[in-house]
Each structure stands twice: as C-alpha cells, then as structure tokens.
C-alpha cells in the first residue's frame, strides 16, 4: 500500500529520500529508524498524524530542531503495519473508539457502530484497522477479538503476547502430530543408543520448574596420571521426536524460544513434549544426548565424546535441597537422599575444579541481584523477593558451560556449519566511555585498546569492596555488547571462550535443537541441511542493521557467503531477534504488575538506591520491594543539575550534591502510570518528614502508629537537622528567635510539643531560604 503525504515547510530536499520504519513515542512525536543504519530521524507530532507506529515510510531531513536532532518529513508511506492494535473500548459522546494500550500509536482508533461486536465499554479488545489515519482524520477499525476486563487475572499477559507478536497458539497440524507421539520410550527408540539407565543421573532445578531438560552425574577417575572426574551431562533428545520441517518444527522455529511470565509459560513445544516425553522426569526412561567429559584437577576438559543414550533419572533435586545437603551431609535433607549424597559431593568437587579454570581463563563474573515476582491466585503481586544464587546454581551452571564448550569445539573441529553463541568485545565507543568513567572516578585502572575479559574481571575483583562497587560493576556490564546466535564463530568475550554454543536446553531454545541435529549429523558422518525457512521479518531486519553497524573498519570488504551460510545467518538472526522479543514481552508484563502493585502504595515512603542516572533524572530501586522508578530532575531541588556523562551522575551546580549509581536516597511514591508502565518518585527531605509527623500528631495520629522503620528514620532526620543547626552557629539561631518574637524570660505560655515541632520546621526552612539567597531556582 503506497500513499503520499503532503506537508509544507522550508528545507525540503535538504537530503535525498531514505526508507525506514516509524517508531512512535508516547508523547505524540516519533522517529524514523533508517534502513541504512544512520541515526534515527525525529518526527514532530504534526508529521505523525498520517502514520502509525511500525509503518514503513520514505522520508527526508528538512531541518535540525532546537535540540539539534535531525527533523524529518514523511514523503511516502510504503507499507502500513499489519499488526493488530490492543486497547480499551470507550464511548465518548456517542462515538465508539479504542484507546491503544501501546501509547506509541499516539491516536485513538474510531470504531463504527456495527464494528464493536460483542465488546462492552471498558473491555480490552484487539482491533484490526480498516482505514489508516490521514492528516485530518483518525484511523478507523473493527473489533477483532475481545480479551476481557482490565482487571481479569492474566490480562497483562494476554496483552503482551499480542502487543509483541508472540505466537501463543499451536497450529492444528502441530497439535495433531503431538497427540500421535507415544507416551513413553519404545523398544525401537532405544536402537543404537547407549544404555545409561543404571547410572544415577539426577536433575537439579528450581522449585517451580516443570520441564527438566538436563541431568548430571559425576564420579572420580584418573585423568592421565593425575586426579580427575568423569562428568556426564545428559540433555533431553528433542530432535528424536521433532523432525526437521515437521509441523511441530515449524511452530518451534516461529517461536524460537519459550517465553516466561510470572505464573505462566508460553512453551516452544507442545506440552506433551515439553512437560512429558522430552522432560527428564524421575523414575521413567527418557531419550537423551550425552556429553561425556573427562575433567582433570585443573578443571580442564581433557577429553569428551557425544552419543545418544537412554537414561533413567534417579531423583529430581531442587537447588535449595542440594545446597542444604552440601552444607550439611548429616542433615535431614542428606538423610533422605543417603544413596545419592556421594555423587553430589563428586559434582561439588568437579565444580570447584571448573571454577579454578574459570578464574585462570579470566571469565567475567558479576554478582547481580535477580528478582522473582510472587503472585496470588488472582495473579496479583504478593511480594517481590530476591532470587538468591547458591552453590547448587553455580554447580549446574559450570557443568552446562562445560558441555556447551565441548559442543562448540565438536562443531568447529568437524568443519560443519552451525549456530554459535557469540559475545563480542566492547565497541570503540563503549571502550572510550568506560575509560573516561574509570579516569573520572580516579580508579587508577583502565582497559587496553584490545581488552581481554580478564581485564574486566581484574577491575571487578579490585573494586568489589568499595562503596561505589555497584556503580563500577554496572558500568563494566553496560560497556559490553549483547550476545547473538550466528554461524560465524567469533568467540564469547564475557565467558572467555574461543568457541561457545547452546546445547543444554532444546526444550525451550530452538538454537539448542539445531545444535543437537548438527552433532547427530556429525556422528552419522552426514551434513545437516536446514529446512526452508520463512523470510526474515522486521525484527530480524532491525537486528541485522544493528549488527552491520558493529563493523569497526568501514573499509572492510563484506564477506561472501554460500547459500547454506546465508540460511544459517538468517536462522541466527531470527533466533536472536525472537530472544529479544521474549525478553521485551516478559519485562512488559513485570513492569505492568509492578505498577499495579505500587498503586496500592501511593504516598508511601521507602529507602532506595540510585541504579542509573540520565540528563532528565535518576532511577531509584526500592530496597524492600525491588521496584524501580524515576525521580525527575525537577524533583531534585531548586537548582540546576548537570549530567556528567563520564561519571554517570547528576551534580548540582550550587550545592555540589551528586546523584550517581549507588547513592542512597529516600523517596515517596508520587505517581503510577499503568498504561505507560511508569512509576514516579519524589525525593523526601528531612524537613518534610518532620512536617509529615507533625500533621499526623495534629490529626490524632501517634508516633507509635508508624512502622518502626519509619519512626527510626523520622528520629534520625530530626537528629541530623539538630546537628546542622549547631554547626550554623549562634548568630543565625538568635536572629531566628527574635524574628518570631520569642521571650527569653518565658513571659508567654510554654509552647506545646506540636507548636515547637512546627516552629522548628519553619526555622529550618527559613534558614535554608536565607542560605540560598534571592536567586530563583533553576530547573
């Protein structure tokens, strides 16, 4: 569909036309993301009237605005986005319309009277456009699907899967094929497989895990002339049941990954496979692919082999249980698993050896806090708790890393094309940013022009006990690139591996399934051929554009690829893009839940820490709730704050107050925007705390009614204010007393505690205003 927009203004023809995709903004303006990889072009609100988010357009730059952004004009609409719009059905003055849930669309959609279907006012609906927007007309559509009420349990997930285009329904052909699969392992399935049913392999997962795709076993053995271990990592053999090009395979490729939401998972495979036939459930036979490794005392994999097998899981452990057993081999958990305890101890021994090798290798290891949302039966947040990593988590992680490295090495040695998990080093821009930051904080350590992972790890170790360690580690992490799937083996920077891939989760990741197929092809001395794959979509095109911009040398000639390599490149882009899609959908749902949760805490005060700073304000994460919100720069006080990019902090020009990552603050929840997924905080200052307490007392409240934490903070605020008053000296305090007409002889009646407290607050506020002078506050 091609239409041409008409727009007036000076500067037309400043640059030649270019093509791109419109990216709307919730404030009414937008951008054009250029296909050629150049910087995005700003579109003012008047240019957004005839286009919508995700439309394909031609545009040209006409001027630079007052923020020096290149401002564009849409000259032609190449293709309208076919994505449905999700929103709430409303009726205003007899007119039906849908307010999009995704505010990037910027315009409400008009719904003709006969096009509302069964939807009722206030319900969440899916709309298909029938008429695009015009310069002087809103878009028109019809209700395609009714999702329900906004407060229905799980509604945030229903919105997210449609908003981000996550496939959530299997095709009839895939479901029929899944139903035809056997319920268990048949005799014919065991042909050509190693029988490991007598080996006490076990699974170790989280308490809420439903699919088990990896099992482990370890025993001590001689490696060469020294001490070592035999480590078995058995992975569910999904490729035995999901044939290349089958209906299940097509659906799995389309999804590329399972998507995890609080209380719900959208699996990559039908449930009969993911939770049944391919899940390594305890006390049943299952087909698996095994990476059988010999690990020496230094933690190096001395030798390995791959083979298909049939196994029998001897136990389903949880991380908590294994950590308890390793911490106390005579405790109740160990007593219940007495037969398997020696094997867990062997696993712990090989883990410690692998950990030593990790340190020698120089892999980057940052300790970050992950959170888990705990919901009630209605889908509402009960609490947000930190997801603590114990020794059992790390034990499994090192075992999986070892198997993944062997998989990558096996594919590389065979010269077969496959997908690697590539994590490249920092770009020149990110290296400069990190160097400037390390120099600005006076650390005395930096990175070289061609940094190794060990350099990052050395900085992390050297600063782990500093007060600003969180800020430094955050900057180290931010300087790195995102990992991708690609047939071009460029190594994994963060893990310090020359070759790395994903082998250990074929139930939930399509790249792992492809790796299994390649390994099987190598074992059978054949070549695996990818099926005919769908044409890469918009997400893949955007990712491809970003990856192309990573090339450091503009004079470097583009590589020539064979047809087979191009197919693998497309598959890697598809899997990488859909991995990001899954992450965005999950974050969107979590943000929605957190906003709904914080609406119940409007006006309440919490302690928190600054987790990032920007020119427009600081982001603060609450201590007890692990929820992040924005303190806008206008809420930081009556002075001018300047953003220091090198130090990644906001600094007040008059007072020198700094807000950087790791700064502790106290905030009040001031605003929650559920549609925009935004939480706004305001800083709480000491005088405000005293006034709040005074008002509580005045209205009959007692200090004892406050939680202990808040009582303590209010007392602390008063004490800190008194100390500052002492430092200001007698002159200012005497002047303040006479100004209020107080009598040293006590001729007036003694003031009540409430009056005294209010007077102290006024005195503090008056002193602050005199100190700042007559200057007007600058924003």
């Amino acid at each position: 569909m091609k239409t041409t927009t008409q727009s007036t203004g000076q500067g037309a023809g400043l640059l030649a036309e270019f093509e791109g995709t419109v990216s709307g903004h919730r404030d009414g303006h937008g951008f054009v993301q250029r296909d050629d990889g150049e910087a995005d072009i700003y579109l003012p609100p008047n240019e957004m009237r005839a286009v919508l988010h995700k439309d394909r357009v031609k545009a040209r730059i006409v001027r630079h605005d007052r923020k020096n952004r290149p401002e564009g004009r849409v000259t032609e609409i190449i293709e309208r986005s076919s994505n449905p719009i999700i929103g709430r059905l409303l009726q205003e003055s007899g007119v039906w319309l849908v307010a999009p849930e995704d505010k990037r669309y910027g315009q409400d959609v008009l719904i003709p009277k006969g096009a509302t279907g069964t939807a009722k006012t206030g319900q969440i609906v899916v709309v298909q456009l029938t008429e695009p927007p015009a310069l002087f007309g809103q878009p028109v559509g019809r209700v395609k699907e009714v999702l329900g009420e906004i407060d229905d349990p799980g509604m945030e997930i229903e919105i997210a899967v449609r908003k981000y285009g996550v496939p959530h329904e299997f095709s009839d052909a895939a479901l029929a094929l899944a139903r035809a699969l056997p319920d268990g392992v048949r005799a014919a399935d065991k042909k050509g497989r190693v029988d490991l049913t007598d080996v006490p392999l076990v699974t170790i997962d989280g308490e809420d895990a439903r699919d088990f795709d990896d099992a482990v076993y370890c025993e001590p053995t001689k490696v060469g002339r020294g001490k070592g271990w035999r480590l078995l990592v058995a992975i569910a053999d999904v490729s035995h049941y999901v044939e290349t090009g089958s209906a299940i395979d097509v659906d799995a490729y389309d999804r590329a990954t399972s998507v995890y939401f609080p209380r719900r998972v959208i699996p990559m495979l039908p449930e009969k496979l993911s939770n049944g036939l391919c899940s390594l459930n305890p006390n049943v036979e299952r087909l698996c692919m095994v990476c059988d490794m010999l690990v020496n005392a230094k933690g190096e994999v001395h030798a390995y082999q791959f083979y298909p097998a049939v196994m029998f899981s001897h136990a389903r452990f949880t991380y908590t249980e294994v950590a308890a057993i390793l911490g106390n081999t005579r405790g109740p958990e160990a007593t219940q698993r007495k037969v398997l305890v020696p094997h867990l101890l062997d696993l712990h021994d090989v883990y410690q050896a692998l950990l030593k090798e990790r340190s020698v290798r120089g892999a980057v290891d940052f300790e970050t806090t992950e959170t888990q949302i705990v919901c009630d039966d209605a889908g509402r947040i009960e609490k947000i708790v930190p997801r603590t990593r114990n020794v059992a988590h790390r034990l499994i992680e090192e075992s999986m890393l070892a198997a993944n490295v062997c998989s990558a090495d096996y594919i590389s040695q065979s010269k077969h094309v496959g997908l690697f998990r590539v994590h490249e080093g920092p770009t020149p821009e990110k290296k400069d940013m990190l160097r400037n930051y390390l120099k600005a904080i006076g650390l005395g350590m930096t990175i070289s022009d061609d940094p190794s992972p060990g350099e990052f790890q050395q900085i992390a170790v050297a600063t782990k006990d500093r007060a600003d360690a969180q800020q430094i580690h955050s900057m180290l992490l931010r300087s790195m690139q995102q990992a991708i799937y690609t047939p071009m083996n460029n190594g994994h920077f963060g893990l310090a591996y020359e070759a790395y891939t994903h082998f250990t989760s074929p139930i939930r990741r399509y790249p792992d399934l492809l790796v299994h197929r390649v390994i099987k092809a190598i074992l059978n001395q054949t070549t695996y051929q990818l099926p005919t794959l769908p044409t890469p979509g918009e997400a893949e095109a955007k990712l491809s554009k970003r990856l192309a911009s990573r090339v450091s040398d503009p004079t470097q000639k583009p590589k020539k690829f064979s047809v087979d390599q191009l197919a693998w490149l497309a598959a890697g882009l598809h899997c990488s893009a859909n991995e990001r899609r899954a992450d965005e959908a999950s974050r969107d749902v979590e943000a929605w839940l957190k906003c709904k949760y914080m609406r119940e805490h409007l006006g309440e005060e919490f302690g928190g820490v600054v987790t990032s700073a920007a020119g427009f304000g600081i982001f603060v994460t609450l201590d007890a709730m692990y929820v992040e919100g924005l303190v806008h720069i206008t809420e930081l006080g009556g002075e001018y704050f300047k953003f220091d990019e090198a130090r990644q902090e906001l600094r007040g020009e008059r007072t020198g107050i700094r807000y950087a990552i790791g700064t502790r603050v106290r905030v009040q929840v001031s605003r929650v925007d559920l549609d925009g997924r935004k939480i706004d905080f305001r800083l709480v200052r000491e005088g405000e705390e005293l006034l709040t307490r005074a008002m509580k007392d005045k209205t009959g409240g007692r200090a004892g009614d406050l939680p202990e934490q808040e009582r303590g903070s209010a007392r602390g605020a008063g004490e800190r204010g008194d100390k500052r008053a002492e430092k200001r000296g007698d002159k200012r305090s005497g002047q303040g007393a006479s100004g209020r007409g107080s009598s040293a002889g006590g001729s007036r009646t003694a003031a009540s505690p409430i009056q005294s407290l209010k007077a102290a607050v006024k005195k503090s506020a008056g002193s602050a205003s005199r100190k700042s002078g007559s200057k007007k506050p600058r924003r």
Side-chain angles (χ1 to χ4, degrees):
M1 176 180 183
K2 293 189 177 183
T3 56
T4 303
T5 64
Q6 296 180 354
S7 179
T8 60
Q10 297 177 353
L14 186 64
L15 282 181
E17 289 184 335
F18 55 84
E19 294 186 5
T21 303
V22 174
S23 178
H25 193 275
R26 63 183 67 256
D27 294 332
H29 64 267
F31 297 91
V32 177
Q33 296 179 331
R34 297 177 59 163
D35 292 346
D36 56 15
E38 296 294 325
D40 295 345
I41 306 303
Y42 172 73
L43 291 179
N46 65 303
E47 286 291 332
M48 288 293 293
R49 289 176 189 160
V51 294
L52 287 174
H53 178 60
K54 292 188 177 181
D55 283 348
R56 295 270 307 150
V57 300
K58 281 186 179 179
R60 66 160 61 99
I61 299 174
V62 294
R63 64 177 66 83
H64 284 73
D65 67 4
R66 56 192 179 90
K67 294 183 179 180
N68 202 33
R69 293 176 297 190
E71 185 178 306
R73 173 191 302 161
V74 174
T75 58
E76 183 181 335
I77 299 169
I78 302 171
E79 184 180 4
R80 293 287 186 181
S81 171
S82 60
N83 288 9
I85 297 174
I86 299 93
R88 187 180 296 192
L89 181 66
L90 304 172
Q91 190 177 31
E92 296 181 359
S93 303
V95 178
W96 290 96
L97 54 88
V98 169
E101 194 278 337
D102 188 343
K103 299 306 177 187
R104 291 176 295 180
Y105 280 98
Q107 301 183 56
D108 294 340
V109 181
L110 295 175
I111 308 294
K113 287 185 178 180
T116 58
T118 60
K120 300 176 182 178
T121 304
Q123 288 186 318
I124 303 298
V125 298
V126 180
V127 173
Q128 191 67 51
L129 290 186
T130 55
E131 294 181 27
L135 285 175
F136 304 103
Q138 289 177 262
V140 180
R142 63 178 180 85
V143 174
K144 179 182 176 184
E145 182 183 4
V146 180
L147 298 183
E149 304 295 336
I150 187 65
D151 290 325
D152 287 349
M155 179 54 65
E156 68 281 359
I157 298 175
E158 296 296 334
I159 292 172
V161 295
R162 291 162 177 82
K163 179 179 177 180
Y164 292 95
V166 176
H168 58 285
E169 293 179 347
F170 288 104
S171 65
D172 292 339
L175 292 174
L177 193 58
R179 285 193 296 269
L181 292 170
D183 295 325
V185 176
R186 301 165 299 191
D189 297 327
K190 301 178 184 180
K191 187 178 179 181
R193 292 180 177 270
V194 177
D195 188 348
L196 295 179
T197 53
D198 60 332
V199 176
L201 286 152
V202 298
T203 61
I204 305 175
D205 294 274
E207 280 80 359
D208 55 350
R210 295 180 59 196
D211 53 12
F212 314 111
D213 47 15
D214 58 83
V216 289
Y217 168 76
C218 183
E219 63 183 18
T221 187
K222 286 282 185 181
V223 178
R225 295 182 179 180
K227 176 185 175 182
W229 299 268
R230 181 191 180 197
L231 174 62
L232 269 65
V233 174
I235 306 299
D237 191 358
V238 176
S239 62
H240 179 83
Y241 297 106
V242 181
E243 296 182 5
T244 298
S246 67
I248 296 177
D249 190 42
V250 170
D251 279 18
Y253 175 78
D254 189 30
R255 297 176 180 223
T257 180
S258 296
V259 186
Y260 293 86
F261 300 110
R263 299 180 67 249
R264 181 179 170 188
V265 177
I266 296 180
M268 186 182 79
L269 300 172
E271 188 174 359
K272 184 169 183 178
L273 287 166
S274 60
N275 294 346
L277 197 54
C278 290
S279 183
L280 306 182
N281 300 325
N283 305 319
V284 291
E285 288 186 342
R286 287 289 183 258
L287 303 184
C288 60
M289 284 293 294
V290 177
C291 181
D292 195 336
M293 296 166 277
L294 290 178
V295 182
N296 63 24
K298 295 180 180 180
E300 301 166 338
V301 178
H302 180 76
Y304 66 83
Q305 61 176 330
F306 288 92
Y307 52 82
V310 57
M311 61 162 285
F312 184 92
S313 175
H314 284 55
R316 179 264 200 267
F317 282 103
T318 66
Y319 293 120
T320 305
E321 186 181 8
V322 171
I325 291 172
L326 295 175
N328 182 9
T329 55
R330 296 182 179 179
E333 295 87 357
T335 302
Q336 293 175 7
R337 306 280 199 172
K338 193 172 182 179
V339 176
L340 296 172
V341 168
H343 304 305
L344 292 180
L345 294 175
D346 290 334
L347 277 168
H348 186 257
D349 289 342
V350 77
Y351 152 70
Q352 289 182 314
L354 291 169
L355 207 58
K356 290 179 184 176
E357 197 277 332
R358 181 192 186 104
S359 178
V360 171
R361 198 171 71 244
V364 183
D365 188 14
F366 298 127
E367 284 295 333
T368 57
T369 302
E370 295 183 6
T371 58
Q372 178 182 2
I373 294 177
V374 180
C375 297
D376 59 19
D377 294 336
R380 294 179 175 84
I381 293 182
E382 284 187 344
K383 56 184 177 179
I384 302 172
V385 296
R387 194 189 294 269
T388 54
R389 276 165 44 87
N390 56 39
V391 65
H393 287 88
R394 296 182 175 90
L395 182 155
I396 289 298
E397 180 182 305
E398 288 300 326
S399 299
M400 298 305 116
L401 289 176
N404 286 337
V405 171
C406 292
S407 305
D409 184 71
Y410 192 57
I411 294 172
S412 297
Q413 295 296 331
S414 70
K415 308 297 183 183
H416 198 295
V417 183
L419 282 186
F420 295 93
R421 181 68 168 177
V422 170
H423 180 234
E424 295 184 297
T427 61
E429 294 79 14
K430 290 190 174 185
K431 281 188 286 189
D432 289 341
M433 180 190 72
L434 181 59
R435 285 197 195 101
N436 291 337
Y437 169 75
L438 296 174
K439 182 179 179 181
I441 64 173
L443 182 61
M445 300 177 72
T446 189
I447 58 172
S448 62
D449 291 335
D450 186 19
S452 67
E455 294 177 37
F456 283 75
Q457 184 63 10
Q458 287 171 5
I459 296 173
V461 171
T463 58
K464 64 183 177 66
D465 295 325
R466 285 177 51 133
D468 57 352
Q470 182 182 359
Q471 178 181 1
I472 297 170
H473 291 189
S474 177
M475 289 301 297
L476 290 171
L477 193 61
R478 201 179 295 178
S479 69
M480 297 183 182
Q481 301 185 50
Q482 279 187 300
I484 60 168
Y485 295 107
T486 173
M488 313 304 296
N489 178 26
N490 294 325
H492 197 292
F493 180 83
L495 295 173
Y497 288 132
E498 292 183 2
Y500 185 71
T501 193
H502 278 167
F503 164 78
T504 53
S505 296
I507 289 178
R508 61 185 179 90
R509 291 191 304 229
Y510 197 80
D512 302 54
L513 177 56
L514 290 177
V515 167
H516 276 234
R517 289 172 176 168
V518 170
I519 289 175
K520 278 189 174 180
I522 298 169
L523 290 172
N524 295 328
Q525 298 182 342
T526 59
T527 301
Y528 176 70
Q529 293 292 332
L530 280 172
T532 302
L533 301 173
T535 304
E538 178 188 347
E540 291 89 329
K542 288 181 180 178
L543 180 61
S544 179
K545 181 181 72 174
R546 287 201 298 270
L547 296 179
S549 67
R550 287 185 181 181
V551 178
S552 56
D553 185 3
T555 62
Q556 183 179 346
K557 293 183 179 179
K559 296 180 181 179
K560 293 184 178 180
F561 300 105
S562 65
V563 174
D564 192 34
Q565 287 175 323
L566 286 173
W568 281 95
L569 278 168
L573 282 171
H574 173 83
C575 292
S576 301
N578 285 5
E579 178 186 40
R580 285 156 177 72
R581 177 182 68 183
D583 290 341
E584 288 173 357
S586 297
R587 282 196 296 267
D588 187 80
V589 167
E590 289 189 8
W592 192 93
L593 288 170
K594 288 178 178 179
C595 284
K596 197 164 186 182
Y597 182 48
M598 293 309 294
R599 283 202 305 190
E600 301 172 5
H601 299 279
L602 277 170
E604 295 183 25
E605 297 174 9
F606 302 93
V609 63
V610 177
T611 46
S612 66
F616 52 83
I618 55 175
F619 288 93
V620 176
T621 298
L622 305 183
D623 294 334
M625 307 176 89
Y626 303 97
V627 171
E628 186 180 68
L630 172 69
V631 179
H632 195 268
I633 195 167
T634 55
E635 296 285 352
L636 293 179
E639 65 171 309
Y640 182 76
F641 280 86
K642 186 176 181 181
F643 179 58
D644 187 332
E645 188 173 4
R647 293 178 178 270
Q648 289 290 299
E649 67 180 19
L650 280 174
R651 181 174 180 175
E653 283 197 345
R654 178 169 53 81
T655 61
I657 294 176
R658 297 177 178 179
Y659 295 103
I661 300 172
T663 302
R664 296 209 56 80
V665 293
R666 188 162 183 81
V667 296
Q668 181 187 52
V669 183
S670 61
R671 179 175 175 268
V672 175
D673 178 6
L674 191 61
D675 291 336
R677 312 291 194 267
K678 287 182 176 181
I679 301 170
D680 289 337
F681 298 145
R682 57 183 294 271
L683 284 184
V684 175
R685 296 174 180 85
E686 293 161 2
E688 292 175 358
E689 290 182 9
L690 290 171
L691 184 59
T692 300
R693 242 182 115 189
M695 294 306 294
K696 282 181 181 289
D697 290 342
K698 186 175 180 181
T699 56
R702 298 188 305 273
D705 295 333
L706 294 171
E708 180 62 34
Q709 184 180 359
E710 294 189 20
R711 293 204 301 274
S713 64
R715 285 196 300 269
E719 290 166 5
R720 288 191 296 272
D722 291 343
K723 289 178 181 178
R724 278 198 297 274
E726 290 173 11
K727 289 181 180 179
R728 285 196 292 266
D730 294 333
K731 288 184 180 179
R732 192 167 288 177
S733 59
Q735 184 181 7
S738 61
R740 277 184 289 277
S742 60
S743 172
S747 59
R748 292 189 178 186
T749 306
S752 70
I754 299 299
Q755 292 172 328
S756 298
L757 186 59
K758 291 174 71 175
V761 173
K762 288 181 180 179
K763 176 182 175 182
S764 177
S767 299
S769 64
R770 285 191 298 274
K771 184 177 179 181
S772 61
S774 59
K775 292 182 181 178
K776 292 183 179 180
R778 290 181 291 175
R779 301 289 183 180

